[in-house]
Amino acid sequence: MTKGVAKKGHNRAGGLAVDQLKSIIDRVENLEETKAGIVADIRDVYAEAKGNGFDVKAVRAIVKLRSMDPEKAEEAETIFDTYRMALGMIPSIDDTI
Amino acid sequence: MTKGVAKKGHNRAGGLAVDQLKSIIDRVENLEETKAGIVADIRDVYAEAKGNGFDVKAVRAIVKLRSMDPEKAEEAETIFDTYRMALGMIPSIDDTI
Amino acid sequence: MTKGVAKKGHNRAGGLAVDQLKSIIDRVENLEETKAGIVADIRDVYAEAKGNGFDVKAVRAIVKLRSMDPEKAEEAETIFDTYRMALGMIPSIDDTI
Amino acid sequence: MTKGVAKKGHNRAGGLAVDQLKSIIDRVENLEETKAGIVADIRDVYAEAKGNGFDVKAVRAIVKLRSMDPEKAEEAETIFDTYRMALGMIPSIDDTI
DNA sequence: CCCTGAGGCTTCGTAC
DNA sequence: GTACGAAGCCTCAGGG
């Protein structure tokens, strides 16, 4: 980087560093704003889903499931089942009824 | 219509608007992907800042402070003051005061 | 109740109402304090569980499952499965592996 | 020992401390039960307050205010003032001022 | 690996 | 009683 500015312990023209800092902050803030918009959009989609009679919680669960590493999911399931079995809560055939 | 069940132009099964559900999931997943991209971009900006000698932790602190402050005071002076306030970072700038 | 105090629109000796109010507030605040203690205790149990190597999330899931109305649980499961099937995410035999 | 698997005085299965797990669940469930009782008690107090002519919503407001105030100022005067402040409730008391 | 902070879930109280 | 809103707790992603 040709503009190696503001390194600790080196004297520099502060103005340049400040401009650069302004740029950094600007870009981050813009990105965060955009991000907030996306989050709002997601919310809206779920709200619309709810309005159309969908069970939002279930839809969220689906999205989460799909985004999950299948291996991790399997592992979590295994632990859960192990605990259930340990407690005599048989993960029985009824599950698929 | 191969499936003789309540399908009037839209893909329905057991009273469920399948296409609508798929659309919801699609949109959410696309939005989340976009969001992940934004988050990566923010990371990149900070990485670049670090490459230019900025104290990333301090810059994050500034961004956070500014995000809390209702009126963000866009002027460089304010940023500069905040910058100096936030920590004792980047002593090279202080040197030029 | 013999002490029917402080009824709107009736003149009364305010002192009695105040004493009664003090009592009410005291009791509520004591109960809330106790409640906070219980909540803390629950947290502690989970923390201890974690310390002993248990998967806290799974344990919480078990507790929740056991506290749930089986009927409601079944219903939630059904919705979830319906959505999965609609999306081609077969709740297959693999589930029990 | 009927189960020949790693059972040295405690009930273990597949490396899982079954007894410990049961203990955890038990304790949590007991605590939650107790907690539910407390919540019911609080309800009862408010119900009684209502029966005695108090404006329950206002009393709740007082309790909330006091819970936010770090130093709760136990004196009757403070309570009384807060009470008067909180709303224009229970005009009968104002009558005696 | 821990801590912090943002977001989602749940419960309780309120209004209609 | 149903639906909305607020509050507290849990969760999980992210940084140090």
Side-chain angles (χ1 to χ4, degrees):
Chain A
M1 298 299 165
T2 59
K3 293 187 179 181
V5 190
K7 275 216 141 50
K8 278 183 181 174
H10 296 132
N11 279 335
R12 307 242 165 219
L16 277 187
V18 169
D19 286 347
Q20 220 175 10
L21 178 60
K22 276 178 63 175
S23 161
I24 291 164
I25 292 179
D26 265 11
R27 282 187 283 161
V28 170
E29 288 182 343
N30 284 334
L31 287 167
E32 301 233 318
E33 197 176 343
T34 309
K35 186 178 128 190
I38 306 275
V39 170
D41 288 347
I42 295 175
R43 248 193 184 57
D44 288 347
V45 174
Y46 280 123
E48 179 195 328
K50 177 175 182 177
N52 286 338
F54 289 98
D55 180 329
V56 172
K57 185 179 171 183
V59 178
R60 282 184 188 275
I62 298 278
V63 171
K64 184 179 218 172
L65 183 62
R66 285 166 58 100
S67 75
M68 268 211 284
D69 180 5
E71 200 174 327
K72 294 280 180 186
E74 190 91 2
E75 189 187 336
E77 262 298 302
T78 303
I79 295 175
F80 186 65
D81 288 346
T82 305
Y83 287 2
R84 274 201 295 182
M85 281 172 46
L87 295 165
M89 305 168 66
I90 41 156
S92 70
I93 318 169
D94 291 349
D95 281 6
T96 57
I97 297 179
Chain B
M1 259 188 231
T2 57
K3 298 182 184 176
V5 190
K7 202 176 172 184
K8 29 180 175 177
H10 293 303
N11 189 8
R12 292 194 144 267
L16 184 65
V18 177
D19 288 344
Q20 221 173 9
L21 180 57
K22 284 183 181 172
S23 160
I24 291 163
I25 305 271
D26 262 16
R27 282 187 284 161
V28 170
E29 289 182 344
N30 285 331
L31 287 167
E32 302 240 324
E33 195 180 333
T34 308
K35 187 178 125 191
I38 308 272
V39 170
D41 288 347
I42 295 175
R43 245 210 215 5
D44 288 348
V45 174
Y46 280 122
E48 180 195 326
K50 178 172 184 173
N52 286 341
F54 287 98
D55 180 333
V56 171
K57 185 175 172 184
V59 178
R60 282 184 188 277
I62 296 171
V63 171
K64 172 171 281 187
L65 281 178
R66 281 169 54 84
S67 77
M68 290 171 177
D69 188 1
E71 41 203 87
K72 304 215 276 184
E74 297 292 355
E75 312 81 29
E77 266 61 42
T78 305
I79 295 180
F80 188 59
D81 289 348
T82 310
Y83 188 42
R84 290 183 57 218
M85 261 181 49
L87 279 181
M89 40 176 196
I90 312 192
S92 58
I93 291 184
D94 286 349
D95 289 353
T96 66
I97 297 177
Chain C
M1 298 300 162
T2 58
K3 294 188 178 181
V5 190
K7 276 216 140 50
K8 280 182 181 174
H10 295 133
N11 280 335
R12 306 244 166 217
L16 276 188
V18 169
D19 286 347
Q20 218 173 12
L21 178 60
K22 276 179 62 176
S23 161
I24 291 163
I25 292 180
D26 264 11
R27 281 187 284 161
V28 169
E29 288 182 343
N30 285 333
L31 287 167
E32 302 232 317
E33 196 175 345
T34 308
K35 186 178 127 191
I38 307 272
V39 170
D41 287 347
I42 294 175
R43 243 211 284 295
D44 288 348
V45 174
Y46 280 122
E48 180 194 327
K50 178 175 182 175
N52 287 337
F54 288 98
D55 180 328
V56 172
K57 185 179 173 186
V59 177
R60 282 184 188 276
I62 297 278
V63 171
K64 183 179 222 173
L65 182 63
R66 284 165 59 100
S67 75
M68 269 211 283
D69 179 4
E71 200 175 327
K72 294 280 180 186
E74 191 91 4
E75 189 187 337
E77 263 299 301
T78 303
I79 295 176
F80 186 65
D81 288 346
T82 305
Y83 288 2
R84 275 201 295 181
M85 281 171 46
L87 295 165
M89 304 168 66
I90 42 155
S92 71
I93 318 169
D94 291 348
D95 280 7
T96 56
I97 296 179
Chain D
M1 261 190 230
T2 58
K3 298 182 183 176
V5 189
K7 203 176 171 185
K8 30 180 174 176
H10 292 304
N11 190 8
R12 292 193 145 266
L16 185 66
V18 177
D19 287 345
Q20 220 174 5
L21 179 57
K22 284 183 181 172
S23 161
I24 291 162
I25 305 271
D26 262 16
R27 281 186 284 161
V28 170
E29 288 182 344
N30 285 333
L31 287 166
E32 301 238 323
E33 195 179 333
T34 308
K35 187 179 124 191
I38 307 272
V39 170
D41 287 347
I42 294 174
R43 247 193 182 53
D44 288 347
V45 174
Y46 281 122
E48 180 194 327
K50 178 173 185 173
N52 285 343
F54 287 99
D55 179 333
V56 172
K57 185 177 172 183
V59 179
R60 282 184 189 277
I62 296 171
V63 171
K64 172 171 281 188
L65 280 178
R66 281 170 53 85
S67 76
M68 291 171 177
D69 188 1
E71 41 204 87
K72 304 216 276 184
E74 297 292 354
E75 312 81 29
E77 265 62 40
T78 304
I79 295 180
F80 188 58
D81 288 349
T82 309
Y83 187 42
R84 291 183 56 219
M85 263 181 48
L87 279 180
M89 39 176 197
I90 312 192
S92 60
I93 290 185
D94 287 348
D95 290 352
T96 65
I97 295 178

